Amino acid sequence: MQMRVMGIAGSIRRGSFNRALLDAAVELMPEGMEVAPWDRLREVPFYDAALDTDELRPEPVADLKRAIAEADGLLIVTPEYNYSIPGVLKNAIDWASRPGYKSVFVGKPVAIMGASGSMMGTARAQIHLREIMYATLARVMPHPGVLVNQAPQKFEDGRLVDEPTRTVVASFLRDFQTYVRQMQGG
Amino acid sequence: MQMRVMGIAGSIRRGSFNRALLDAAVELMPEGMEVAPWDRLREVPFYDAALDTDELRPEPVADLKRAIAEADGLLIVTPEYNYSIPGVLKNAIDWASRPGYKSVFVGKPVAIMGASGSMMGTARAQIHLREIMYATLARVMPHPGVLVNQAPQKFEDGRLVDEPTRTVVASFLRDFQTYVRQMQGG
């Protein structure tokens, strides 16, 4: 059985390092695992509980929830904005997390990666994202994560070319494959 | 000199408790201080660095930055979504925080309040918001903050009616008035 992972990059900028890091994950997935990027983040309107009904829920939100529900796991690749995750990513998580404690996130294995130009490589954003995902009852893989710092030196023409980083990403994805299987066996 | 505080509520839902809590602050401000709500959060598009240029920057973003620059202080009233602040609020902060370490937030006194239906009263969201604002070099008032829990019991027809809570808000605003003066005296 092929393991299907949904990939979300938290930056909508064209040429984003985080979107390129998600591409690297697509390329470096271990055998038996595939990742499908979900690239509709900017189409999700701001969360408004008044719109969160079966009649009014926006179509991109319904598609987001369907994609999460159908995936065996979720790979989130986030930039760091002001020590936390971008609003566009938080907004999508807030929609998908409803209804609280009964959403498509419940029990879903989640892995976190991130890239930034700084030395910190999104370390603080990943801490926030982990706390945020705990609230959804998703199963964030307990792991130091993938922190790609000084990103401009590691990508060329939108491709991750730094070999040590490619090795780390490949190893991280193998760990995630094992973790998803463990979660499915419970 | 009248002290001018800009107020932002982090929820865009009509009838939001947090927007009503901001109204209570308008009502309970001490003499010499006024608060002006800025209600254009939903008009701010998702942050995209490619649009963050003098030519392309969206008008609501320019207005947001102007309002922050002109205010003596900033009062942020946030709900808690998944242990953190809503995406719509984070998104506006990300726009206003640019360029990094040189934005309109630098040195700006900030006070944080929040309301929620839970027992926690946005305690976790406020911790995240404080960390986020540190990154902007704003001066978040060191204070336990205003945590309005079990909100449905404390508001009636969009008005904060719980007397003990009204007393806490009024006291908090007096503390903020002193804090803004201290920051201005530096």
Side-chain angles (χ1 to χ4, degrees):
Chain A
M1 277 287 286
Q2 189 75 354
M3 187 182 290
R4 290 173 310 168
V5 172
M6 176 188 179
I8 296 186
S11 167
I12 57 175
R13 180 175 67 86
R14 188 180 292 269
S16 146
F17 291 121
N18 284 279
R19 186 63 187 75
L21 183 55
L22 178 54
D23 279 339
V26 173
E27 196 187 333
L28 294 166
M29 277 283 159
E31 198 156 337
M33 197 175 190
E34 62 184 30
V35 69
W38 192 85
D39 279 321
R40 302 187 63 190
L41 221 51
R42 69 162 75 228
E43 297 173 50
V44 177
F46 288 124
Y47 183 79
D48 183 339
L51 300 180
D52 199 7
T53 68
D54 287 343
E55 291 73 32
L56 298 176
R57 193 171 298 117
E59 184 276 330
V61 173
D63 186 57
L64 168 68
K65 295 174 85 161
R66 181 201 52 73
I68 295 170
E70 291 178 358
D72 295 307
L74 183 57
L75 173 63
I76 306 180
V77 189
T78 187
E80 178 168 301
Y81 293 175
N82 295 313
Y83 297 181
S84 190
I85 65 171
V88 67
L89 175 59
K90 179 60 164 55
N91 183 62
I93 291 171
D94 290 339
W95 274 107
S97 72
R98 306 298 305 168
Y101 310 126
K102 291 178 208 157
S103 78
V104 289
F105 280 132
V106 176
K108 188 71 57 179
V110 173
I112 300 174
M113 308 198 303
S116 80
S118 81
M119 289 301 294
M120 308 295 291
T122 75
R124 295 164 296 206
Q126 292 196 23
I127 291 170
H128 271 208
L129 181 54
R130 223 172 281 137
E131 290 175 355
I132 289 162
M133 296 310 296
Y134 286 158
T136 70
L137 303 183
R139 298 288 195 185
V140 179
M141 178 165 67
H143 196 286
V146 172
L147 303 161
V148 180
N149 64 8
Q150 302 181 295
Q153 301 171 28
K154 291 170 181 168
F155 292 84
E156 268 178 35
D157 299 326
R159 184 166 181 274
L160 178 64
V161 294
D162 184 68
E163 278 305 326
T165 306
R166 291 177 67 86
T167 303
V168 165
V169 170
S171 160
F172 179 76
L173 294 170
R174 286 194 300 274
D175 285 352
F176 189 48
Q177 187 177 36
T178 301
Y179 181 72
V180 171
R181 279 202 201 106
Q182 289 171 328
M183 291 300 107
Q184 288 174 338
Chain B
M1 278 286 288
Q2 190 74 353
M3 187 181 289
R4 289 172 311 168
V5 172
M6 176 186 179
I8 296 185
S11 168
I12 58 174
R13 180 174 68 85
R14 188 180 292 270
S16 146
F17 291 120
N18 284 279
R19 187 61 186 77
L21 183 55
L22 178 54
D23 279 339
V26 172
E27 196 187 334
L28 295 166
M29 276 283 159
E31 198 157 336
M33 198 174 188
E34 62 184 30
V35 68
W38 192 85
D39 279 322
R40 304 187 62 190
L41 221 51
R42 70 162 73 228
E43 297 172 51
V44 177
F46 289 125
Y47 183 78
D48 182 339
L51 300 180
D52 199 7
T53 68
D54 287 343
E55 291 73 34
L56 297 176
R57 193 171 299 117
E59 184 277 329
V61 173
D63 186 56
L64 169 67
K65 294 174 84 161
R66 181 200 52 72
I68 296 170
E70 291 177 358
D72 295 308
L74 183 58
L75 173 63
I76 306 180
V77 189
T78 186
E80 178 167 302
Y81 292 175
N82 294 313
Y83 298 179
S84 190
I85 65 170
V88 67
L89 175 59
K90 180 60 164 56
N91 182 62
I93 291 171
D94 290 339
W95 274 107
S97 73
R98 305 298 305 168
Y101 310 126
K102 290 179 210 157
S103 79
V104 290
F105 280 132
V106 176
K108 188 71 59 180
V110 173
I112 300 173
M113 309 198 303
S116 81
S118 79
M119 289 300 293
M120 308 294 291
T122 75
R124 294 164 298 207
Q126 293 196 23
I127 291 170
H128 270 209
L129 181 53
R130 224 173 280 139
E131 291 176 353
I132 289 163
M133 295 310 295
Y134 287 159
T136 70
L137 303 184
R139 298 287 194 185
V140 179
M141 179 165 67
H143 195 286
V146 172
L147 304 161
V148 181
N149 64 7
Q150 301 181 297
Q153 300 172 29
K154 292 172 181 167
F155 292 85
E156 267 178 37
D157 300 326
R159 184 165 181 275
L160 179 64
V161 294
D162 184 67
E163 278 305 326
T165 306
R166 291 177 68 85
T167 303
V168 165
V169 169
S171 159
F172 178 76
L173 294 172
R174 285 193 301 273
D175 284 351
F176 189 49
Q177 186 178 35
T178 301
Y179 181 73
V180 171
R181 279 202 200 108
Q182 289 171 327
M183 291 299 107
Q184 289 175 337

